[in-house]
Amino acid sequence: MTRIDLHCHSTASDGTLTPADLVRAGAAAGLNVMAITDHDTTGGWAEAAEARPEGLSLVRGAELSCRWRGGKRWPIALHLLAYLFDPDEPRLAADLSRLRDDREQRAEQIVDLLRADGVPISWPEVHEYAAGGSVGRPHIAQALIRAGLVATTTEAFQSGWLGGRYFVPKSDLDVFEGVRAVRAAGGVPVFAHPRATKRGPVVPDSLVEELAEAGLFGLEADHEDHSPAERAEMRALAERLGLVVTGSSDFHGTHKTVRLGAFVTSPEAYEKIVAAATGVSVLG
Ligand code: AMP
Ligand code: FE
Ligand code: FE
Ligand code: ZN
């Protein structure tokens, strides 16, 4: 059986395994294909490629922080997985760079809000946890855990903390711009966890339809944040719109409990993604 996990994070963003340890862990977990998809960065690609064990195919990718302005009151945040794009394509590279800058500014704002309420954490501490990678709320959660204010990352995302009272939105990339930029760089865009309601409001099916017309290639139906009914809905929507269906763990190391390969993608869907990409090739 071919085991394909197309959504994994490393210390290049908010995962807890280095890119080298991530690919080794993928092979040890029995994966045949693994994608490295850090938030808004290709910073882990080289190390993952260098450490790739024999027998593991590596798909180089990223997860882009996007938003849709059509939400009734606020823009809705959504994530776009991008596979096998050319990292040197100037427009997408500039988009990614801006997204990482936004992340830093926003994390500093969150830290300022917390400090104003007397929470004993600091921006240098959070920045250190990010270790040169894309900064995210899990790094702030780590500081809150260190300060003894919450016990787990999940608790840090509750409404009294990073999920509400101290929530600051990122400015993010317009999702249509994201789809076009990924395609222009020869990459393949797949909508990550499109029904993950626990993270906030989700977009209507009509938007998915518009995105499909704009070049979206697939929907990540099988994800731990989807109920069985939501997985079935996403399959049906993908079928109706001619999109491929993927499944993946969204592994983050110890920042989450999900294990590598907890959800997988079919070889057929994987082959279609690879065939549609013209940016960089699969390694191995
Ligand atoms: P950010 O990208 O800075 O907005 O932070 C979002 C990241 O935090 C996601 O990519 C997940 O890794 C993590 N995350 C989001 N919601 C939760 C949650 N409820 N519990 C734990 N981690 C979460
Ligand atoms: Fe994450
Ligand atoms: Fe995501
Ligand atoms: Zn992810």
Side-chain angles (χ1 to χ4, degrees):
M1 202 177 77
T2 313
R3 289 173 56 74
I4 303 167
D5 188 342
L6 292 181
H7 184 169
C8 305
H9 295 264
S10 77
T11 51
S13 64
D14 56 4
T16 57
L17 296 186
T18 62
D21 284 341
L22 179 68
V23 289
R24 289 184 204 118
L31 298 179
N32 308 94
V33 180
M34 160 184 253
I36 181 168
T37 53
D38 279 302
H39 296 288
D40 307 318
T41 186
T42 59
W45 283 18
E47 186 185 318
E50 177 78 16
R52 181 183 64 79
E54 198 61 29
L56 179 79
S57 295
L58 178 65
V59 173
R60 289 167 289 176
E63 183 174 21
L64 274 58
S65 304
C66 296
R67 67 174 176 190
W68 174 56
R69 284 198 219 87
K72 284 206 179 69
R73 294 186 55 193
W74 310 101
I76 294 180
L78 59 157
H79 290 172
L80 209 57
L81 291 159
Y83 298 115
L84 301 168
F85 56 87
D86 174 3
D88 297 324
E89 198 284 319
R91 173 169 154 197
L92 183 57
D95 282 335
L96 290 174
S97 166
R98 186 177 61 72
L99 287 171
R100 290 194 300 275
D101 289 347
D102 284 349
R103 283 180 165 277
E104 300 234 348
Q105 285 171 23
R106 177 261 210 153
E108 264 192 277
Q109 283 174 24
I110 297 174
V111 170
D112 285 347
L113 287 177
L114 287 159
R115 286 175 64 84
D117 282 353
V119 174
I121 66 169
S122 71
W123 170 239
E125 179 189 6
V126 171
H127 199 252
E128 194 179 308
Y129 293 147
S134 288
V135 185
R137 283 180 288 165
H139 301 117
I140 304 174
Q142 213 173 323
L144 294 175
I145 293 169
R146 192 274 309 148
L149 293 161
V150 297
T152 62
T153 309
T154 308
E155 200 183 325
F157 272 86
Q158 285 170 2
S159 62
W161 298 103
L162 306 174
R165 181 160 180 200
Y166 299 99
F167 175 74
V168 176
K170 304 198 289 323
S171 55
D172 295 341
L173 182 65
D174 174 78
V175 66
F176 287 94
E177 159 67 8
V179 166
R180 282 192 292 266
V182 170
R183 284 289 197 168
V188 179
V190 171
F191 193 158
H193 44 73
R195 280 284 159 92
T197 46
K198 76 167 191 184
R199 295 164 183 246
V202 298
V203 303
D205 289 359
S206 58
L207 177 76
V208 180
E209 193 164 341
E210 286 176 44
L211 289 172
E213 283 162 18
L216 183 71
F217 198 77
L219 297 182
E220 186 183 55
D222 294 323
H223 185 283
E224 68 162 350
D225 290 356
H226 290 166
S227 67
E230 288 164 345
R231 288 171 206 164
E233 281 166 29
M234 289 302 95
R235 279 181 189 285
L237 183 62
E239 168 103 12
R240 176 161 80 74
L241 300 176
L243 299 172
V244 303
V245 166
T246 68
S248 27
S249 65
D250 200 356
F251 178 75
H252 278 71
T254 56
H255 277 161
K256 285 192 183 179
T257 53
V258 73
R259 298 162 75 126
L260 283 166
F263 297 95
V264 291
T265 296
S266 73
E268 296 73 26
Y270 169 63
E271 293 302 336
K272 284 183 188 163
I273 289 169
V274 173
T278 58
V280 294
S281 56
V282 177
L283 300 176

